[in-house]
Amino acid sequence: EIVTTVEAQANDASGVAGRLRVSMPPHLEALWPLFRAFGRCYPAVRFDVFVTDRRVDLVADGVDVALRIGEGGSAGYVGRTLARYRHRLVASPRFLAAHPLRAPSDLARVPCACWRSPRGSVWQLGDTEVDLEPAFVTNDYLHLLRLAEAGDVVTEVPPFLAARALERGRLVEPLTRYPLPEVTMRALVVERRSMPPLVRHFLDFAAENVPRALGVAMATS
């Protein structure tokens, strides 16, 4: 549940107003309620949300806050770590019955689908790095999830996307002794001497609510 405190509502007259332009990746539908909740706290705020899988230039693109996954930051930007989590390796029960996975090395011999990455198709499972020749590559985690649910592939997706299918048994998680690396979600802003009240309040709100919205661990730093 998104936090909407009486104190936040009382701050509506404290200069928290105007347009806030946010950039975010396309697979974070779980965060949409956060914008609605922040808007209820601060009715004078207007959102402009730019959904893209590319790394935007905050200055050139006029972005106030960029939500990013797996990037420590860039020169001229400062930010706050919002959440930490690990992707889940998932496949359907039918797929695993036909393609048993007992060790990470088995993945090189079964149909896989991978996120498109400059590193190529490599999964780090525990201490083992597996080079893959995937049957399918895309920059859409929802597509990867659907392929796994259909029983076509084994893939890796964020935990908040896989949670429902795992709970309902449509997917299972093989090789749990070999976890994928931890990734971070950060909110980046342009480094400046004084942060606008709207941006500062949104960062505070996001730090409190993003982990809850995604169902992942709150960042400790």
Side-chain angles (χ1 to χ4, degrees):
E1 183 181 354
I2 302 296
V3 173
T4 54
T5 64
V6 173
E7 179 183 0
Q9 294 167 356
N11 282 334
D12 184 41
S14 67
V16 184
R19 186 180 75 150
L20 185 69
R21 192 165 195 221
V22 180
S23 166
M24 62 185 288
H27 62 280
L28 296 179
E29 287 86 352
L31 294 188
W32 288 111
L34 184 146
F35 299 113
R36 296 197 300 271
F38 190 80
R40 288 196 296 270
C41 290
Y42 305 103
V45 172
R46 299 293 178 266
F47 280 102
D48 182 351
V49 181
F50 179 31
V51 178
T52 178
D53 63 355
R54 71 175 177 86
R55 301 299 193 191
V56 300
D57 182 318
L58 273 67
V59 175
D61 293 312
V63 172
D64 298 304
V65 180
L67 301 181
R68 291 190 178 173
I69 309 296
E71 180 178 328
S74 303
Y77 297 167
V78 295
R80 182 177 301 183
T81 300
L82 303 178
R84 304 180 191 276
Y85 55 87
R86 297 178 190 273
H87 283 203
R88 298 290 185 261
L89 193 70
V90 294
S92 72
R94 178 168 60 86
F95 179 91
L96 292 175
H99 306 281
L101 296 175
R102 299 181 179 87
S105 57
D106 294 336
L107 291 165
R109 298 188 291 272
V110 303
C112 298
C114 297
W115 175 263
R116 180 184 291 118
S117 168
R119 292 184 60 218
S121 299
V122 179
W123 286 344
Q124 184 72 40
L125 294 169
D127 296 329
T128 303
E129 189 173 273
V130 183
D131 289 308
L132 303 169
E133 299 223 2
F136 197 90
V137 175
T138 181
N139 63 342
D140 184 347
Y141 277 120
L142 285 174
H143 199 145
L144 294 178
L145 182 71
R146 299 297 175 247
L147 288 171
E149 289 179 323
D152 296 333
V153 298
V154 58
T155 192
E156 54 93 11
V157 295
F160 42 88
L161 290 185
R164 181 173 297 181
L166 289 169
E167 289 170 2
R168 297 183 177 181
R170 295 197 303 268
L171 293 176
V172 294
E173 190 176 357
L175 303 177
T176 54
R177 293 191 298 129
Y178 305 91
L180 287 153
E182 184 179 77
V183 298
T184 59
M185 176 185 292
R186 302 195 78 219
L188 298 181
V189 300
V190 176
E191 187 173 15
R192 62 186 71 182
R193 184 169 300 175
S194 178
M195 188 179 298
L198 172 54
V199 173
R200 185 177 67 253
H201 278 71
F202 181 76
L203 290 180
D204 290 342
F205 190 86
E208 184 175 6
N209 288 286
V210 162
R212 185 179 294 108
L214 298 181
V216 300
M218 183 172 290
T220 57
S221 62

